[in-house]
Amino acid sequence: MKTRQIPDTLMLEERAGHALNAIMGMADEDFNGIPFFAANLMTDPANLTHGDWDYGSSHGRMIDGFILARHMSGETIGTEQEAQYRANFLSFFHEDGLSYRQMNPNRSWEPNANLIDQRAVILSLTTWFMETGDPKVKEVADKHVAALKRIAIKERDVWYYPASEYKEEGWPSKNAMLLR
């Protein structure tokens, strides 16, 4: 049996190009370019599925990945898909400055600003602004950080979020009961 040789030099630029291709391929054209979140490999045939993470978390990570993989690889593929991800992403922000998950067609969970998503949101806004210097992106980021501070609870010298999901009406969302 012949063993596979590992090359002396691992070309990370090539790997970044493959990652760029994967990021492009996650878009569901039948669902406004929203990326699939998961793969169900236990069915025949295997299929991709949507979840509540499709919005702020996935879009934030996908935009960050597009920018960094493009920078690393020098590839120019996927600019149309990247533009769709960016447009979708910006549409998730409400007037209060937070990024909200949309109504999921597969679940009855209400739209909410999930705090797990907010870290991917700020990651992508930071990378996006560093790449372009776009003042609109900086404005969105500044408003987002101000919103995160505004909804935090302060007790003495500790700041915290009392639940993982925030609604425009405040804490907590009805979904919080489903997470216990």
Side-chain angles (χ1 to χ4, degrees), residues 142-156:
D142 287 345
K143 193 172 179 179
H144 184 253
V145 170
L148 290 171
K149 182 178 179 187
R150 185 182 65 254
I151 68 168
I153 307 295
K154 183 177 191 298
E155 291 182 6
R156 297 190 189 122

Side-chain angles (χ1 to χ4, degrees), residues 38-128:
N40 185 349
L41 303 177
M42 301 306 288
T43 61
D44 187 16
N47 59 56
L48 297 172
T49 61
H50 286 287
D52 292 329
W53 300 78
D54 289 354
Y55 301 100
S57 182
S58 286
H59 277 77
R61 289 181 287 119
M62 297 287 184
I63 292 167
D64 182 62
F66 255 126
I67 294 167
L68 297 177
R70 192 178 311 291
H71 179 73
M72 188 174 180
S73 69
E75 293 282 349
T76 58
I77 61 172
T79 54
E80 290 176 14
Q81 189 55 58
E82 183 178 4
Q84 180 68 57
Y85 284 163
R86 289 181 189 215
N88 286 345
F89 176 75
L90 290 176
S91 76
F92 304 149
F93 284 90
H94 288 201
E95 189 59 37
D96 66 3
L98 295 172
S99 176
Y100 283 77
R101 291 182 178 185
Q102 309 302 296
M103 181 62 78
N104 184 317
N106 301 319
R107 293 202 172 96
S108 60
W109 284 26
E110 59 188 351
N112 65 84
N114 188 288
L115 274 289
I116 293 171
D117 295 356
Q118 305 310 308
R119 57 117 192 114
V121 167
I122 197 67
L123 172 72
S124 64
L125 289 170
T126 301
T127 306
W128 186 350

Side-chain angles (χ1 to χ4, degrees), residues 125 128-129 132-144:
L125 289 170
W128 186 350
F129 179 72
T132 65
D134 185 337
K136 171 67 176 162
V137 174
K138 183 180 185 315
E139 179 184 328
V140 172
D142 287 345
K143 193 172 179 179
H144 184 253

